[in-house]
Amino acid sequence: MALPNFKKRGRRILAAGARTLGRGIVRTVTRSDAGAHWARVGGDWYETLGELKGAAMKLGQLASQYHDVLPPELSKQLARLQADAAPLPWERIREVLDGQWSAHQWQLIAEIEHAPLASASIGQVHVATLRDGRKVAVKVRYPGVAAAMDADINNLGRMLRMAGILPFDGASLKAVLEEVRERMAEEMDYQREREHLEIFAGLPNRDGIIVPDVVTELCSPSVVATEFVSGSGIEVAQRWPQAVRDRIGERYVDWMVAQIFDHGIVHADPHPGNYSFREDGSIVVFDFGCVKRVNGKDQRLIAEQVRAVVERNMAALHQSLGEMGSLAKPGRQPSAGLERAYTESTEFLHERMIVEPPFDFADPSFITDARAIARRALPVWGQFKPVPDLAFVARSLSGGYWLLRRLEAQVDLRERIVEIAKRRH
């Protein structure tokens, strides 16, 4: 089973966009329930993107993590794409391996499991045992995904414009999609992923974060092999004692802070399947294909914005957002509407994250109240712009929140936020 040809993939994606547009027109005319509308749209997108694999499915997964922007009924449907994708049959994977591995490399293998350990949008993982007794994870890239990437991203852009669900103008959406294209090209480059694995394995300040070692002798352009590292999935970890889940949450938050501010490099694929957990609170991290570097200027600006929130300094917040490129009209005093949006958001974050630690990621009112604030700020959304270079940092933060929410972790964020506010880059 190979990926469908470009024209067929494009027609299927654009057909889903056309159906979304048609449903929107019908909903406007009939004034039907918005929740039911977006649930139907989400189901349609799930069926379309889930069958296509590659960039199409990956973009659906990416969209699903923006719970705070998309209608919740739509993001709930797209979240189904985060589960394991339907795998390719072993015969197709064997064909890829035969084209990538030499006879000598095959001789290193004592046994390889035909059923995949995991399958995703770009490739799937098979467990193998080497003749020297080592157990390894062999990730194999699907045939044709790299070639289909550009066309998929272009067609997904058209689909999003037709749907009209993101508060971006055409230029902003184009810039975001270019950032997505760059990150996905990197993710499909397995040589780059091996380099990322080695970089993250060598980073300091990663207490309790485990990065598998690369098994170089089995790597090739379409294959990444690493040591097999055991751990439990999130469904198991959810049942562990609160203290264990809190320790996992603390380590995850500390790791995110270190990635952004100390190392300037972020693991940008916070899919729950890319982590496993241990009862000592350790976190095993997989899949280093999607990684985003953070430059010194952005490190400084993010810290400035955290400091402005801690100090309730709306003028400093506005200035920093403008320098970052988040505002359509930087360098001016905030409008009355922006001032209200800044103030309400800042007071909300103070109350929830700073005043009374620990922060309870499981508190359902947090995202409900955040969405309510976002709705009240709708009149000023046009004064903001996305920052493409930080889109995948935002993805990591958003994905991390939802990961820790599933674990129902409680973490003292006040201490960590105050420390970030003290940083000077």
Side-chain angles (χ1 to χ4, degrees):
M1 172 178 142
L3 293 179
N5 63 56
F6 297 157
K7 289 184 179 179
K8 185 176 180 180
R9 292 173 71 83
R11 285 196 297 268
R12 292 181 64 184
I13 294 170
L14 293 178
R19 289 193 295 271
T20 300
L21 180 62
R23 289 189 177 104
I25 294 171
V26 170
R27 183 172 75 89
T28 301
V29 172
T30 63
R31 298 183 180 180
S32 59
D33 178 68
H37 163 74
W38 287 117
R40 287 192 293 271
V41 169
D44 190 8
W45 287 20
Y46 167 78
E47 295 294 338
T48 301
L49 302 179
E51 292 176 1
L52 290 178
K53 294 190 182 294
M57 183 178 178
K58 176 63 73 173
L59 285 171
Q61 293 174 342
L62 175 62
S64 76
Q65 292 174 322
Y66 287 92
H67 300 258
D68 48 351
V69 174
L70 298 178
E73 296 83 4
L74 174 59
S75 63
K76 182 177 180 180
Q77 290 293 322
L78 291 179
R80 297 163 63 196
L81 292 168
Q82 296 290 354
D84 281 355
L88 286 188
W90 167 250
E91 292 75 17
R92 293 290 291 118
I93 297 299
R94 175 67 193 238
E95 289 175 9
V96 176
L97 290 173
D98 282 340
Q100 296 287 310
W101 281 351
S102 65
H104 170 70
Q105 287 171 307
W106 272 115
Q107 288 172 0
L108 300 175
I109 305 292
E111 181 182 4
I112 185 166
E113 296 179 10
H114 292 187
L117 175 68
S119 54
S121 56
I122 291 173
Q124 62 193 54
V125 179
H126 292 258
V127 176
T129 304
L130 305 188
R131 293 192 182 277
D132 63 11
R134 286 180 292 165
K135 200 171 183 180
V136 299
V138 179
K139 185 165 76 168
V140 184
R141 190 176 65 197
Y142 294 133
V145 292
M149 180 188 68
D150 280 341
D152 279 354
I153 291 174
N154 290 338
N155 289 323
L156 261 295
R158 295 189 188 106
M159 177 177 167
L160 290 170
R161 281 189 287 270
M162 293 170 74
I165 61 170
L166 295 177
F168 302 160
D169 59 27
S172 295
L173 180 58
K174 181 180 179 182
V176 169
L177 289 174
E178 284 306 310
E179 174 67 11
V180 170
R181 191 189 311 275
E182 185 175 335
R183 297 280 73 74
M184 292 204 63
E186 190 173 79
E187 190 168 357
M188 294 184 192
D189 181 347
Y190 278 12
Q191 171 61 35
R192 186 67 64 86
E193 179 167 358
R194 296 197 294 275
E195 294 170 2
H196 291 160
L197 277 158
E198 291 165 355
I199 289 170
F200 275 86
L203 293 178
N205 301 334
R206 58 180 185 91
D207 175 49
I209 304 297
I210 300 168
V211 179
D213 290 332
V214 177
V215 181
T216 307
E217 57 266 37
L218 289 177
C219 293
S220 74
S222 293
V223 178
V224 175
T226 63
E227 65 169 333
F228 179 85
V229 182
S230 62
S232 299
I234 193 167
E235 294 81 5
V236 173
Q238 286 173 310
R239 301 194 294 269
W240 289 346
Q242 185 70 51
V244 176
R245 290 180 280 118
D246 292 348
R247 183 62 176 142
I248 291 171
E250 291 168 357
R251 281 179 160 155
Y252 188 92
V253 171
D254 289 340
W255 187 53
M256 279 301 308
V257 171
Q259 287 178 89
I260 294 172
F261 295 105
D262 296 331
H263 311 313
I265 186 169
V266 176
H267 178 278
D269 194 359
H271 183 309
N274 287 338
Y275 304 96
S276 65
F277 308 95
R278 293 178 174 177
E279 290 189 81
D280 65 356
S282 298
I283 307 170
V284 184
V285 187
F286 307 107
D287 198 341
F288 287 81
C290 188
V291 163
K292 179 61 185 176
R293 294 186 180 274
V294 186
N295 62 43
K297 177 183 176 181
D298 287 334
Q299 289 173 323
R300 172 179 63 82
L301 290 171
I302 295 169
E304 283 181 0
Q305 288 158 29
V306 171
R307 185 160 58 252
V309 169
V310 170
E311 296 173 354
R312 294 181 169 92
N313 188 335
M314 301 303 103
L317 179 61
H318 182 73
Q319 181 178 350
S320 184
L321 288 171
E323 186 179 352
M324 181 176 278
S326 295
L327 299 175
K329 295 181 179 179
R332 306 172 112 187
Q333 291 295 319
S335 65
L338 270 183
E339 184 85 27
R340 284 193 298 273
Y342 291 158
T343 301
E344 186 173 14
S345 298
T346 295
E347 292 302 322
F348 170 71
L349 294 174
H350 254 274
E351 178 186 345
R352 297 303 182 89
M353 293 185 173
I354 298 176
V355 173
E356 293 184 6
F359 177 75
D360 184 358
F361 281 89
D363 181 0
S365 70
F366 178 80
I367 197 66
T368 301
D369 292 346
R371 282 176 173 149
I373 291 172
R375 284 194 297 271
R376 287 193 289 274
L378 273 173
V380 299
W381 275 22
Q383 297 183 50
F384 292 102
K385 294 187 342 183
V387 182
D389 202 43
L390 292 175
F392 280 80
V393 177
R395 178 196 188 192
S396 294
L397 294 171
S398 174
Y401 165 78
W402 289 100
L403 180 78
L404 297 185
R405 177 166 171 162
R406 287 185 64 181
L407 285 173
E408 299 184 347
Q410 298 180 17
V411 180
D412 182 352
L413 294 185
R414 178 170 65 186
E415 175 186 353
R416 292 158 173 86
I417 289 170
V418 170
E419 285 302 313
I420 293 170
K422 293 177 181 178
R423 289 176 178 260
R424 297 291 191 275
H425 285 271

